[in-house]
Amino acid sequence: MKEIYKDIKILIIGDSCKDIFIYGNVPRLAPEGPIPVFNPLHSKENNGMASNVYENIKAIGAKPFLITQDETIIKTRYVDERTNSLLLRVDTNDKASRINKNILSNIKNNIFYGISYDAIVISDYCKGFLTEEDIDEISKHNYNIFLDTKKVLGDWCKYVSYIKINQVEYEKTKHTIAKLGIYDQLIITKSNDGCQHKNKKYPVEDVNVKDVSGAGDTFMSGLVTEMVRVENIDIAINFAQECATKVVQKLGVCTI
């Protein structure tokens, strides 16, 4: 199956992190206070955020290229192995330097340093790598842009082709959407209720969900690669949901 994606090139721009999951047991509460005593047993480490999009697109079979920050952001999650309950998340170095202006100015017409890309994914986790101005600049001078952002949507995203947004994010920004006229660009993911685009609902298979961490990145990866291949948003959304459905059945941040 990977063969059908081998000629697709995707440029990814965004902030990245290292995801660490530490699994253990909780035999008792601490005598000092009502908090769990955590005994670590084993750990799992993956690339996260924009790097997770990169890894998923690569796993699907396309050719990704990533532009991200130099700093290492680390998200460490402590999980009770018996119940798969998240006990604590510790974020280390939770900031990224802004993208270099020289790099930004060299992304034009989907060409970056002589290489032409079929689509661009902007994976913006609001860590400082991309400002609203930067996203506006990228989308004005390029095409086939797929945006995933934690920011409240504004004029700076009106040139984007598709905006992936989850239900919680949609509720935070829906007051800006009507006046921007960008509703048709939205793909609203709704967890086990599937997703919605242009008032059309796309149901998803009911599966045993173990971990939703990184599932949005996987959805975006499937969406952009399949959309480039078939140029049909219905088929692309269904493929994206199929990809996301597979990873939520695994523990931690996983690739398709």
Side-chain angles (χ1 to χ4, degrees):
M1 183 175 178
K2 285 186 176 184
E3 283 295 307
I4 63 176
Y5 300 103
K6 66 183 177 63
D7 295 324
I8 294 173
K9 293 192 287 294
I10 309 293
L11 180 63
I12 306 148
I13 309 168
D15 22 30
S16 299
C17 76
K18 187 70 67 179
D19 279 309
I20 300 174
F21 289 78
I22 300 175
Y23 297 94
N25 58 36
V26 182
R28 59 194 174 90
L29 293 179
E32 301 92 341
I35 57 171
V37 173
F38 182 79
N39 292 332
L41 299 174
H42 60 92
S43 64
K44 181 178 181 181
E45 185 174 312
N46 299 89
N47 293 322
M49 302 195 312
S51 290
N52 188 32
V53 177
Y54 172 91
E55 296 292 350
N56 273 277
I57 290 175
K58 184 178 177 182
I60 289 169
K63 296 175 181 175
F65 185 84
L66 175 64
I67 301 172
T68 191
Q69 85 278 1
D70 293 327
E71 300 90 347
T72 301
I73 295 171
I74 301 174
K75 297 180 183 178
T76 306
R77 299 170 176 88
Y78 295 84
V79 183
D80 178 12
E81 188 169 56
R82 183 179 62 84
T83 63
N84 198 36
S85 299
L86 178 64
L87 301 176
L88 178 68
R89 188 177 112 178
V90 179
D91 290 6
T92 307
N93 192 29
D94 198 33
K95 281 279 186 189
S97 305
R98 187 176 177 182
I99 187 171
N100 185 291
K101 284 293 183 182
N102 290 331
I103 291 176
L104 200 61
S105 64
N106 275 288
I107 308 168
K108 294 286 193 304
N109 299 316
N110 281 43
I111 297 173
F112 182 60
Y113 287 116
I115 298 176
S116 179
Y117 293 89
D118 299 293
I120 296 175
V121 174
I122 300 174
S123 184
D124 172 40
Y125 276 80
C126 284
K127 302 300 183 183
F129 188 64
L130 293 170
T131 65
E132 295 174 359
E133 179 187 345
D134 297 331
I135 296 172
D136 185 43
E137 181 79 6
I138 294 167
S139 56
K140 274 181 179 176
H141 297 289
N142 296 278
Y143 58 89
N144 218 13
I145 310 290
F146 292 72
L147 172 66
D148 185 359
T149 181
K150 304 304 178 188
K151 293 179 173 65
V152 172
L153 303 180
D155 283 340
W156 47 272
C157 63
K158 62 185 178 183
Y159 297 108
V160 171
S161 306
Y162 294 100
I163 303 169
K164 186 202 80 66
I165 188 170
N166 65 38
Q167 186 65 42
V168 173
E169 293 162 350
Y170 173 75
E171 292 300 325
K172 289 180 180 177
T173 195
K174 65 181 181 181
H175 63 283
T176 69
I177 290 169
K179 63 182 180 181
L180 292 172
I182 59 170
Y183 183 75
D184 287 352
Q185 294 159 249
L186 301 184
I187 298 173
I188 307 166
T189 58
K190 301 184 174 186
S191 190
N192 58 349
D193 289 327
C195 69
Q196 183 174 320
H197 174 58
K198 288 186 177 180
N199 293 320
K200 180 177 179 179
K201 295 182 179 179
Y202 297 79
V204 69
E205 180 187 356
D206 188 20
V207 297
N208 180 25
V209 177
K210 292 184 177 178
D211 200 326
V212 298
S213 303
D217 300 327
T218 304
F219 180 96
M220 175 61 87
S221 304
L223 180 74
V224 64
T225 49
E226 190 71 353
M227 188 61 182
V228 168
R229 188 179 77 86
V230 300
E231 297 183 356
N232 182 303
I233 193 60
D234 291 326
I235 294 174
I237 288 175
N238 285 325
F239 179 72
Q241 292 202 136
E242 181 184 345
C243 291
T245 297
K246 291 183 185 301
V247 299
V248 298
Q249 297 178 70
K250 303 176 183 180
L251 292 175
V253 173
C254 302
T255 56
I256 180 68

